[in-house]
Amino acid sequence: MTTLVSTIPQIRDALRATFRSGLTRPIAWRQHQLYQIARMAQNERELICDALKKDLGKPKTEVLMNEIGSTIDIAVKSAQRLPEWAKTEHPEVADWQKPWKPTIYKAPRGTVLIISPWNYPMILTFQPLIGAIAAGCTAVLKPSELVPTFSQLLEELVPKYLDPNVCRVVNGAVPETSKLLELQWDHIFYTGNGRVARIVASAAAKHLTPLSLELGGKSPVIIDSAYDIDLAAKRILWGKCNNAGQICVAPDYILIQRDKQDELVKAFQKHYNAFFPDGALDSSLFGSIVSDLHHKRLTSLLSRTKGEIVLQGRADAARRRLEPTIVKDVTDGDSLLEEEIFGPILPIVPVDSLDQAIDFVNARSHPLVLYAFSDNESMKQRLVSETQSGGIVFNDTFQYLAVSELPFAGVGESGYGYQFMKYTYDTFTQLRSSIDMPKDVEQHLAIRYPPHSEEAVKALTAAVYTPIPSSSL
Ligand code: NAD
């Protein structure tokens, strides 16, 4: 049910009052809430699978693996590691500063807003919430209106498992989100597209609210011609088929040496036939496109390409189905290189050298991830040092998301603000610096008080005359 816009300020105020009451401070309380998230995901998995089947045609295995399993895993691990993360720290300092007791307190940021998209609506809502609760924040969740069954289910499940004074779901579309964005928050965590990110960033700027923007973009794949082309095709196709290509880290386009293009196409055909012997159109192992609008957008991109379609995916607009489609000989300026594809279409751009592939990537916005298939260490190091992207993955695709100890974030157009496990906890935590000056160091501090003797000036400005080591260059 859409949340009444007029109630949104009260929801924020109630959560703020809870935060100020100190309820969220004890670590054991936070751990309980995190285990409750895991219990919710585990107990209600059938309802969640059904909702995502209805909204996105999501295959059950994909939901159990990427949405439910990941939520449980992150919630349980975060609860277990929280005592270590939340420890007050005492940094190493010079001996003469030790009596000041320099301390870093881990302070929750406060009451936060989490806005999530439709493509992985469960993990992309709970992953930030787990970090926010671990940090001791209270939170509003704003799931996507494009997955209405799931968003409604969330509104029903969250108060059953989590303290309703601590986490509330606001459902709705632009009017409700706009109202939320008018209010002051202590952090906004937005996952979605760059256009709306700019609206969110402008609203946050009015209150100087800190922000995480988890965005997307065109993630390229570079294939070294000496690599095993058959294995590369199998791994890339798997990475492209999850959620019918509607994943922020889907391989978006391929750069390969011109004379290897046809071998790659053949390998794609072989693996496609192995993955979906009867085609993907009616396969329960392949998802649907989220909306009519997105289906139309994808088929329009295809109708305008000047490349050659070599794996012809059938489309069924009425059921929002689109099979994987591979297009070769795609060149700069093509419709398939205009925007993030976010669907099961994979263009191949032939190049003549690694230099050309690097230039192609660098001429565009920094991607969320750069994929490269190569056994050549010097090629890998060239890609690390000569390109920029949120992540860089060698010899596979989005499997790297399974390593939740790695920080995940974009750079430039693909966003900013680190997440996953401790990185999400850190996002919602303020490092609060402190010293506690003892009375009996007064004699050592005497030189700071004016008027300064010549000797005091010498001592106070000693850093200016620090000997600077000679550099090797
Ligand atoms: P979406 O349309 O569901 O929008 C995301 C959220 O923004 C929703 O909650 C929606 O209500 C809100 N919203 C929409 N219009 C708004 C407006 N005018 N003002 C305020 N709020 C508004 O999802 P989407 O943006 O289509 O999601 C897909 C994008 O998200 C892709 O670009 C994808 O790459 C990116 N993405 C990034 C990550 C990541 O972790 N980096 C993960 C998933 C998706």
Side-chain angles (χ1 to χ4, degrees):
M1 233 172 52
T2 301
T3 307
L4 270 180
V5 168
S6 60
T7 63
I8 290 175
Q10 296 156 25
I11 294 173
R12 196 280 314 262
D13 291 348
L15 291 174
R16 181 156 282 173
T18 308
F19 178 70
R20 293 204 174 127
S21 76
L23 178 76
T24 63
R25 292 284 171 152
I27 297 296
W29 181 92
R30 299 183 204 176
Q31 286 173 309
H32 173 68
Q33 298 295 316
L34 298 177
Y35 288 134
Q36 282 295 97
I37 292 177
R39 279 182 200 108
M40 182 199 73
Q42 203 164 62
N43 296 349
E44 312 292 351
R45 59 188 183 276
E46 289 305 323
L47 286 177
I48 295 165
C49 285
D50 289 348
L52 292 180
K53 181 87 196 157
K54 194 158 177 216
D55 287 335
L56 286 164
K58 257 200 198 205
K60 192 168 179 178
T61 313
E62 279 189 23
V63 178
L64 290 171
M65 192 172 71
N66 300 328
E67 304 262 30
I68 294 170
S70 306
T71 300
I72 296 170
D73 184 53
I74 292 178
V76 170
K77 280 187 189 153
S78 295
Q80 288 167 340
R81 294 178 196 180
L82 181 56
E84 187 58 36
W85 299 345
K87 261 191 193 153
T88 297
E89 287 177 24
H90 301 283
E92 266 311 306
V93 295
D95 283 347
W96 57 277
Q97 289 181 326
K98 282 184 180 156
W100 308 1
K101 299 193 218 80
T103 301
I104 303 169
Y105 292 107
K106 310 288 177 66
R109 286 202 173 272
T111 299
V112 304
L113 172 61
I114 295 169
I115 305 176
S116 48
W118 52 267
N119 64 330
Y120 285 81
M122 177 151 185
I123 188 68
L124 294 177
T125 303
F126 283 100
Q127 196 286 125
L129 179 68
I130 289 165
I133 288 184
C137 295
T138 54
V140 161
L141 302 177
K142 164 59 190 72
S144 175
E145 64 277 23
L146 293 187
V147 279
T149 322
F150 175 80
S151 297
Q152 179 56 38
L153 180 64
L154 200 67
E155 192 179 321
E156 290 158 21
L157 292 182
V158 165
K160 277 195 200 159
Y161 286 86
L162 296 181
D163 187 333
N165 296 310
V166 166
C167 177
R168 294 283 295 271
V169 176
V170 167
N171 264 327
V174 176
E176 292 72 24
T177 319
S178 305
K179 188 68 198 176
L180 285 166
L181 290 173
E182 271 175 28
L183 305 174
Q184 195 262 332
W185 301 91
D186 299 310
H187 193 94
I188 300 177
F189 194 105
Y190 169 81
T191 307
N193 69 71
R195 184 186 61 79
V196 175
R198 284 166 168 80
I199 298 173
V200 174
S202 308
K206 289 204 184 100
H207 298 288
L208 296 180
T209 301
L211 195 59
S212 303
L213 295 178
E214 304 293 344
L215 313 179
K218 293 184 81 62
S219 295
V221 185
I222 297 178
I223 306 179
D224 179 351
S225 41
Y227 192 78
D228 179 341
I229 301 290
D230 186 76
L231 183 64
K234 188 185 196 184
R235 292 181 176 183
I236 295 166
L237 188 66
W238 172 80
K240 188 69 178 178
C241 286
N242 212 280
N243 203 26
Q246 301 165 112
I247 175 167
C248 56
V249 287
D252 193 277
Y253 63 93
I254 295 173
L255 296 159
I256 189 168
Q257 194 87 12
R258 203 171 294 281
D259 59 1
K260 286 284 180 174
Q261 185 178 224
D262 288 335
E263 187 181 336
L264 179 69
V265 168
K266 268 206 190 98
F268 274 136
Q269 284 160 339
K270 171 183 142 189
H271 292 296
Y272 175 72
N273 291 334
F275 287 2
F276 306 105
D278 303 316
L281 197 68
D282 299 309
S283 171
S284 62
L285 301 178
F286 192 77
S288 306
I289 304 303
V290 66
S291 67
D292 294 339
L293 208 71
H294 276 285
H295 196 275
K296 213 180 229 162
R297 177 182 66 80
L298 289 165
T299 48
S300 154
L301 288 179
L302 268 180
S303 70
R304 291 187 289 119
T305 182
K306 302 264 187 301
E308 185 188 338
I309 297 179
V310 284
L311 199 149
Q312 176 82 63
R314 291 169 295 170
D316 179 346
R319 291 189 295 140
R320 292 183 275 111
R321 303 288 292 173
L322 181 60
E323 287 179 322
T325 302
I326 310 243
V327 186
K328 76 168 198 179
D329 284 330
V330 171
T331 54
D332 203 358
D334 194 89
S335 61
L336 297 177
L337 298 175
E338 275 169 11
E339 58 183 38
E340 179 181 11
I341 291 177
F342 222 57
I345 304 170
L346 191 51
I348 305 173
V349 180
V351 289
D352 297 311
S353 62
L354 177 61
D355 286 334
Q356 203 188 337
I358 290 175
D359 288 347
F360 197 93
V361 170
N362 287 341
R364 285 157 177 79
S365 304
H366 302 324
L368 189 52
V369 54
L370 171 64
Y371 297 115
F373 287 80
S374 177
D375 293 321
N376 182 328
E377 285 309 315
S378 66
M379 171 172 167
K380 291 183 198 173
Q381 282 318 307
R382 272 198 70 189
L383 291 173
V384 169
S385 58
E386 294 179 31
T387 63
Q388 270 184 283
S389 60
I392 183 160
V393 172
F394 298 109
N395 303 325
D396 205 6
T397 56
F398 72 90
Q399 189 69 47
Y400 81 111
L401 298 185
V403 191
S404 42
E405 286 76 10
L406 286 172
F408 180 72
V411 58
E413 278 286 318
S414 48
Y416 52 81
Y418 295 100
Q419 60 172 324
F420 287 178
M421 301 279 289
K422 177 157 188 319
Y423 295 98
T424 320
Y425 167 84
D426 287 344
T427 288
F428 290 106
T429 298
Q430 181 215 343
L431 298 181
R432 198 171 182 197
S433 293
S434 175
I435 60 168
D436 182 358
M437 193 65 85
K439 285 202 185 84
D440 62 10
V441 297
E442 193 54 25
Q443 75 218 41
H444 302 294
L445 298 177
I447 55 163
R448 70 185 180 175
Y449 302 116
H452 299 120
S453 66
E454 212 174 296
E455 199 187 348
V457 169
K458 213 168 153 193
L460 290 167
T461 61
V464 174
Y465 308 101
T466 304
I468 299 170
S470 55
S471 15
S472 52
L473 284 183

